[in-house]
Amino acid sequence: MATEVLMPALSPTMEEGTLAKWLVKEGDSVKSGQILAEIETDKATMEFEAVDDGIIGKLLIAEGTAGVKVNTPIAVLVEDGETVDDTAPATKPATVAATVAAAAPVAAQAAAPAPVAAKGWPHADLPEGPTKTMTVREALREAMAEEMRRDPSVFLMGEEVGEYQGAYKISQGLLDEFGAKRVVDTPITEHGFAGIAVGASWGGLRPIVEFMTFNFAMQAIDHIINSAAKTLYMSGGQMGSPMVFRGPNGAAARVGAQHSQDYAAWYSAIPGLKVCMPYSAADAKGLLKTAIRDPNPVIFLENEILYGRSFEVPTDPDFTIPLGKASILRDGDDVTIVSFSIGLTYALQAAEILAKDGISAEVVNLRTLRPIDYDTVLASVMKTNRCVTVEEGFPVGSIGDHLASTIMQRAFDYLDAPVVTCTGKDVPMPYAANLEKLALTTTADVVAAVKSVCYR
Amino acid sequence: MVARKPADRPNASKEDLLKYYREMLLIRRFEEKAGQLYGMGLIGGFCHLYIGQEAVVVGLEAAAKDGDKRITSYRDHGHMLACGMDPKGVMAELTGRIGGYSKGKGGSMHMFSKDRHFYGGHGIVGAQVPLGAGLAFADKYLGNDNVTFTYFGDGAANQGQVYETYNMAELWNLPVVFVIENNQYAMGTSMKRSTKSPSMWERGAAYGIKGEAVDGMDVLAVKAAGEKAVATCRAGDGPYILEMMTYRYRGHSMSDPAKYRTREEVDKMRSEKDAIDHVRDLLLQGGLASDDDLKAIDKDIKARVNEAAEFAKDSPEPPLADLWTDIYA
Ligand SMILES: Cc1ncc(C[n+]2csc(CCOP(=O)(O)OP(=O)(O)O)c2C)c(N)n1
Ligand SMILES: [Mg+2]
């Protein structure tokens, strides 16, 4: 019987890819394990092997095709003596996708109130002037490259940042441009190299430390907090640690409990650290440039799932974003949704759904978690009188908890409802696809929270 | 390093050789199947295959006795199969289903079996090293003669906690065999790009720990070295370091294109050093098994692996209420 060969998933976060090259042609017999094609994923070019023995009956997708969704049929494998036409109607997919990224659930609409228009979205927070489209990944890379050109004391160190071109390809090309003196590959020794970087910052350099993911920075957290964050204070202001610790933070996809944790609230608790958490490519570029120039240790929490997303970024070479300044991603009157990083994906989707339901939500992008821009949050809440916060981290001691208490202390009389926090669930991250989805906060959670504070 | 025995004079019985052959083949076919299920989207996240390194775990398990413990990194499927865990339960954990060893909550990198004395499955490079010494500490404390096999990679061997552990393990004579699986790469970093030490096991000398390098592609050499290490530990003279010279044929994980080494390098290893071919040659050239015997074994293993894959596809996802269980005892 003929079987369809489906576009494979070749990385934890791959949703689509480019069929770069076929290594077989129609009529070829192939053996299980034989390489059929080269496929470009979001991170790399991978070889794709046959699962079954058979003959290539038909190639369904031409080589060079981009944007092929995972699990799309790309070829038909037939048995000896069969042709595709014999079997075409009966072809059965060789695979069933266990998980396909689910579209945001749309809230049920009863007697629909008049929809409200979105004001100034999606690029309300960019300065005037020309922009270009780039991914978050490219924006981070460009920020590092520009700052390394500008200041010879800036260097990058971490695991696989050089010859491998970055585990997540953020540092791709930097070794070629800046050489091994400034793009330093380290052994797998986070505690050690983080300490060396802090020492180097005291010695007059401006290190950028890349953690392959922030899960591994737990090994280095003593140096981040005890050495980097506190030395300016302990030395009576004589010497600080001008440096950036950056890398992906939070849940990726299906990587389990030890590899899926959001450290936003952890680092934001520490005096002496600054903490950035970009959402868009413009945030990534503007904030990282500022972070590299900042005279303090800055924790720069990126998100693997956002790396491949595209946004408009100002082309102005002097474009930077100050630390401690939130932006308004969408204006609204009825409720304030405060979020940051990937949480904004849910916040913005929810705002769109709520608009159809007649609720006008203002979406605040915090961008920096320490120092936090209380003024922007409070001004918005004083206008809308309601607030929902959205983040992926654990609920206890969350950024949302901190904002709720601040709003209560400074804008109590303006509130028409208690502040509601949407967070990840109070559990380690499970691996199973169905449980993982439950463990994270969702657009539906945000919609429900907003409705509850609007008493709807 | 121990040289390979000539094929016509194997230093092992027919039964033993057939057993090693079966066990190594089970791991290889299981891993090939896991790779396929990953491409089909049935396995998600990180998935690190053990293909190429089979002789290490099979040889060391042959030197172990009931009650001995083992602990390793995320590259753990081979260790679990070799210590007698059920391929169905391992595969179902890979697909995140209730029939998996961790009820679908752990995944490829985090499986455990108290029953088989398998203590994980750890995702943080090097973390299992002190944990393994801790298991040995408990055995010594309790006064039994169990030994713990603590497996880690050449990359992990640079982690500071390894050396803190070495110091205490020797200070307290813990019954732990440190097994460095030197497959020559830590993700994309070859050993010579991460250290100037010519060998990893010799670092133990600084702490007074005995050890040796072993041809990790030769299951008989692995077993012989394992027996020596285990005997040392059981005699109260542990710890012991075994540096297994081995090789992984696949990328670091399913999403690693492995561009840091040449296809020729991989092909050369496969054709000249393959551990399964080695035992196959010993069996055939020694007249201990016929082609048909081995074909029958192949068929049987394939059937077991297919059965595991079917089980892993059919086993249901965990019930949603399981999100909230097992957080506290
Ligand atoms: C503390 C820490 N840093 C980085 C990583 C990411 N990482 C996972 S495996 C790996 C390479 C490990 O290589 P090695 O110890 O040689 O084991 P192998 O994968 O070869 O079995 C790296 C860098 C991690 N999991 N933990
Ligand atoms: Mg290795």
Side-chain angles (χ1 to χ4, degrees):
Chain A
M1 197 182 42
T3 44
E4 287 179 337
V5 178
L6 304 184
M7 183 72 169
L10 295 171
S11 88
T13 48
M14 176 175 170
E15 286 167 15
E16 59 176 45
T18 299
L19 208 164
K21 191 166 167 201
W22 279 111
L23 299 173
V24 292
K25 50 186 191 323
E26 290 176 6
D28 284 0
S29 1
V30 296
K31 289 195 78 64
S32 160
Q34 184 177 336
I35 298 163
L36 298 180
E38 284 180 3
I39 288 174
E40 278 169 30
T41 71
D42 48 346
K43 289 197 285 191
T45 304
M46 302 288 297
E47 290 168 341
F48 171 47
E49 299 176 356
V51 178
D52 301 301
D53 295 350
I55 295 166
I56 301 288
K58 199 162 178 56
L59 298 181
L60 302 171
I61 303 275
E63 64 180 30
T65 309
V68 183
K69 294 260 180 293
V70 167
N71 281 314
T72 311
I74 56 173
V76 179
L77 208 59
V78 295
E79 283 172 17
D80 216 4
E82 258 180 354
T83 69
V84 176
D85 298 336
D86 296 343
T87 58
T91 48
K92 77 164 178 60
T95 66
V96 189
T99 50
V100 180
V106 178
Q109 290 182 10
V116 292
K119 293 183 254 172
W121 183 64
H123 303 304
D125 65 340
L126 292 190
E128 296 289 316
T131 61
K132 65 180 168 186
T133 309
M134 61 167 82
T135 61
V136 171
R137 176 180 279 117
E138 289 161 347
L140 292 166
R141 185 186 303 146
E142 204 171 270
M144 285 197 286
E146 286 177 9
E147 292 308 302
M148 287 175 79
R149 279 174 213 134
R150 186 176 162 272
D151 179 351
S153 70
V154 178
F155 72 101
L156 173 67
M157 79 191 298
E159 293 159 21
E160 310 289 7
V161 295
E163 289 195 22
Y164 195 79
Q165 305 293 327
Y168 296 95
K169 300 287 167 267
I170 306 301
S171 58
Q172 193 161 39
L174 296 186
L175 176 67
D176 287 347
E177 181 175 351
F178 298 103
K181 180 178 169 194
R182 297 182 68 195
V183 179
V184 183
D185 279 321
T186 65
I188 312 168
T189 50
E190 286 81 1
H191 190 203
F193 70 69
I196 287 175
V198 176
S201 81
W202 297 347
L205 303 184
R206 286 183 172 260
I208 306 171
V209 175
E210 175 174 308
F211 290 114
M212 195 175 280
T213 77
F214 260 91
N215 303 290
F216 316 139
M218 274 204 279
Q219 307 236 325
I221 203 163
D222 178 60
H223 278 310
I224 297 173
I225 294 176
N226 268 329
S227 309
K230 299 178 181 172
T231 297
L232 184 68
Y233 195 80
M234 296 188 301
S235 68
Q238 293 180 72
M239 44 180 281
S241 315
M243 62 193 303
V244 174
F245 298 97
R246 51 156 290 273
N249 163 74
R254 307 287 309 280
V255 293
Q258 291 185 336
H259 281 73
S260 314
Q261 199 159 301
D262 175 8
Y263 294 91
W266 288 42
Y267 290 111
S268 298
I270 306 300
L273 291 180
K274 293 190 178 182
V275 181
C276 296
M277 208 145 157
Y279 163 63
S280 67
D283 289 352
K285 178 152 186 214
L287 290 171
L288 185 52
K289 284 171 71 91
T290 310
I292 294 168
R293 294 178 196 180
D294 198 276
N296 299 288
V298 181
I299 306 289
F300 203 87
L301 302 172
E302 302 158 10
N303 184 285
E304 185 189 339
I305 293 169
L306 294 176
Y307 277 158
R309 302 231 178 124
S310 294
F311 297 84
E312 291 303 303
V313 178
T315 52
D316 177 358
D318 294 325
F319 168 67
T320 56
I321 296 174
L323 305 190
K325 250 351 263 141
S327 73
I328 310 276
L329 278 186
R330 177 174 175 132
D331 295 318
D333 304 315
D334 300 333
V335 61
T336 300
I337 307 177
V338 184
S339 188
F340 44 93
S341 184
I342 195 159
L344 283 161
T345 310
Y346 316 121
L348 289 168
Q349 279 171 358
E352 199 60 20
I353 291 165
L354 291 161
K356 296 202 184 86
D357 228 0
I359 298 176
S360 159
E362 179 146 298
V363 179
V364 176
N365 174 9
L366 282 179
R367 301 201 291 208
T368 305
L369 302 181
R370 189 179 185 100
I372 207 162
D373 183 357
Y374 299 113
D375 291 347
T376 298
V377 174
L378 289 167
S380 177
V381 172
M382 287 175 182
K383 178 177 78 171
T384 64
N385 313 115
R386 296 174 160 87
C387 183
V388 166
T389 65
V390 187
E391 68 198 287
E392 277 204 341
F394 294 131
V396 178
S398 64
I399 297 290
D401 279 0
H402 174 65
L403 285 176
S405 96
T406 305
I407 293 167
M408 186 180 70
Q409 290 171 53
R410 294 175 57 182
F412 188 73
D413 290 340
Y414 291 84
L415 283 177
D416 286 345
V419 176
V420 172
T421 60
C422 296
T423 64
K425 305 296 184 296
D426 200 12
V427 302
M429 182 61 77
Y431 167 74
N434 62 333
L435 299 187
E436 185 183 64
K437 235 180 272 168
L438 272 188
L440 294 165
T441 191
T442 62
T443 301
D445 289 345
V446 181
V447 169
V450 167
K451 290 199 167 165
S452 81
V453 301
C454 293
Y455 301 110
R456 298 250 316 240
Chain B
M1 189 141 78
V2 184
R4 267 194 177 169
K5 301 279 176 309
D8 53 342
R9 280 188 291 111
N11 188 9
S13 71
K14 170 182 165 179
E15 288 65 39
D16 282 350
L17 287 173
L18 282 170
K19 181 167 167 284
Y20 306 151
Y21 183 73
R22 280 182 151 279
E23 290 178 355
M24 290 196 290
L25 200 64
L26 174 65
I27 296 173
R28 178 139 330 161
R29 295 285 172 264
F30 181 97
E31 293 292 66
E32 286 167 356
K33 182 59 83 180
Q36 291 167 356
L37 296 186
Y38 190 93
M40 292 158 72
L42 284 159
I43 298 174
F46 291 130
C47 181
H48 309 83
L49 302 183
Y50 196 63
I51 297 177
Q53 302 181 208
E54 297 90 345
V56 175
V57 288
V58 169
L60 288 178
E61 287 297 340
K65 74 160 176 58
D66 221 27
D68 287 346
K69 301 181 169 67
R70 56 288 283 168
I71 186 168
T72 187
S73 69
Y74 45 83
R75 196 180 301 287
D76 54 358
H77 313 164
H79 303 70
M80 294 188 277
L81 298 175
C83 75
M85 288 167 65
D86 183 352
K88 286 199 213 131
V90 179
M91 198 68 98
E93 190 59 39
L94 298 186
T95 54
R97 306 302 172 88
I98 189 74
Y101 269 98
S102 300
K103 303 180 204 154
K105 290 158 91 167
S108 163
M109 300 189 283
H110 310 302
M111 267 181 260
F112 305 81
S113 167
K114 260 211 111 165
D115 214 35
R116 295 304 314 146
H117 308 294
F118 179 74
Y119 286 86
H122 297 270
I124 303 302
V125 166
Q128 72 273 27
V129 179
L131 299 173
L135 290 165
F137 183 97
D139 278 327
K140 181 165 183 194
Y141 186 99
L142 296 171
N144 61 45
D145 70 344
N146 296 332
V147 165
T148 299
F149 294 91
T150 299
Y151 294 87
F152 54 104
D154 48 291
N158 289 317
Q159 275 273 350
Q161 56 186 320
V162 171
Y163 299 93
E164 298 180 19
T165 303
Y166 277 5
N167 188 44
M168 288 180 274
E170 179 65 25
L171 187 64
W172 299 329
N173 286 120
L174 301 181
V176 52
V177 182
F178 295 111
V179 184
I180 306 169
E181 294 197 66
N182 186 346
N183 60 12
Q184 304 177 36
Y185 292 90
M187 205 171 267
T189 304
S190 64
M191 182 169 145
K192 55 179 172 307
R193 292 209 303 116
S194 70
T195 182
K196 293 223 168 170
S197 306
S199 89
M200 290 293 184
W201 72 269
E202 282 174 297
R203 292 181 181 179
Y207 303 87
I209 307 180
K210 295 169 281 299
E212 62 193 277
V214 183
D215 180 353
M217 306 297 278
D218 176 347
V219 71
L220 301 179
V222 171
K223 178 179 179 244
E227 282 170 342
K228 190 164 146 201
V230 164
T232 307
C233 289
R234 292 212 213 287
D237 202 16
Y240 202 96
I241 300 174
L242 295 174
E243 181 175 357
M244 296 291 172
M245 306 310 293
T246 183
Y247 200 78
R248 70 166 152 74
Y249 297 169
R250 297 296 189 97
H252 168 74
S253 69
M254 290 305 297
S255 45
D256 171 24
K259 292 280 142 75
Y260 42 82
R261 60 185 188 188
T262 61
R263 187 171 277 282
E264 289 71 51
E265 179 184 308
V266 183
D267 288 347
K268 192 167 148 62
M269 266 291 173
R270 289 188 96 123
S271 61
E272 292 176 9
K273 294 286 290 178
D274 187 76
I276 299 178
D277 287 352
H278 175 224
V279 175
R280 163 185 284 270
D281 289 350
L282 291 177
L283 284 163
L284 291 176
Q285 290 175 32
L288 302 172
S290 68
D291 244 342
D292 284 346
D293 294 339
L294 298 188
K295 275 211 185 98
I297 294 177
D298 285 10
K299 209 171 141 208
D300 178 47
I301 298 281
K302 230 182 180 161
R304 275 185 76 191
V305 168
N306 284 336
E307 193 192 353
E310 288 312 311
F311 177 80
K313 288 183 208 168
D314 294 343
S315 176
E317 290 191 305
L320 299 183
D322 276 14
L323 182 66
W324 299 101
T325 58
D326 305 322
I327 300 166
Y328 296 101

